[in-house]
Amino acid sequence: MSIICCPECNKQISSHAALCNYCGHHLGEVTEEDLRVFQAHKLRDRIYKLNMISYAVITLFIGGFCWYWWESLGFSQAASAGPFVLMGVAAVAYLAVRAMLFRARQKRKSMQQAVKMSSDLRRNL
């Protein structure tokens, strides 16, 4: 077994792989089951990344709130517009990420219901 570069994405993969783990490029004979497992794996990774992004956006919102609290001296004075802008951008970003996460989870749910799952597919969803 050797390591080769995928002709599509140029990342290193096994020479025995039927398809690239990164981009899904077919390197040999690929079954429908292999494609479903690849799609499930990509969907699982997307859901994980969206969860991490939502945590980062929540942290930005909390940072904006702390900035507001610090600048207003414990809510006793008026603060500048900076904390409000940061909290507003973070709130909009959070809603957008949650909408994408909802769509990804709905897609995962439909994948689970649509196919009779093998153990590989069940593990990746």
Side-chain angles (χ1 to χ4, degrees), residues 58-98:
I58 289 170
T59 303
L60 281 177
F61 184 85
I62 292 171
F65 183 78
C66 291
W67 181 14
Y68 171 72
W69 180 78
W70 181 267
E71 211 172 82
S72 68
L73 301 174
F75 308 119
S76 62
Q77 296 177 358
S80 67
F84 294 110
V85 170
L86 181 61
M87 287 189 293
V89 168
V92 169
Y94 180 75
L95 292 174
V97 168
R98 293 307 289 186

Side-chain angles (χ1 to χ4, degrees), residues 4-57:
I4 61 171
C5 288
C6 173
E8 188 74 22
C9 66
N10 211 24
K11 294 195 179 182
Q12 294 182 347
I13 56 172
S14 170
S15 61
H16 294 289
L19 61 114
C20 176
N21 292 336
Y22 301 102
C23 66
H25 180 73
H26 301 278
L27 299 168
E29 289 188 31
V30 180
T31 64
E32 285 294 319
E33 183 67 23
D34 291 338
L35 288 174
R36 283 195 298 260
V37 168
F38 174 75
Q39 290 170 348
H41 181 69
K42 284 297 188 185
L43 185 60
R44 183 191 65 192
D45 289 347
R46 179 170 170 75
I47 290 171
Y48 175 79
K49 288 175 186 174
L50 286 171
N51 275 324
M52 294 300 112
I53 291 170
S54 73
Y55 299 147
V57 170

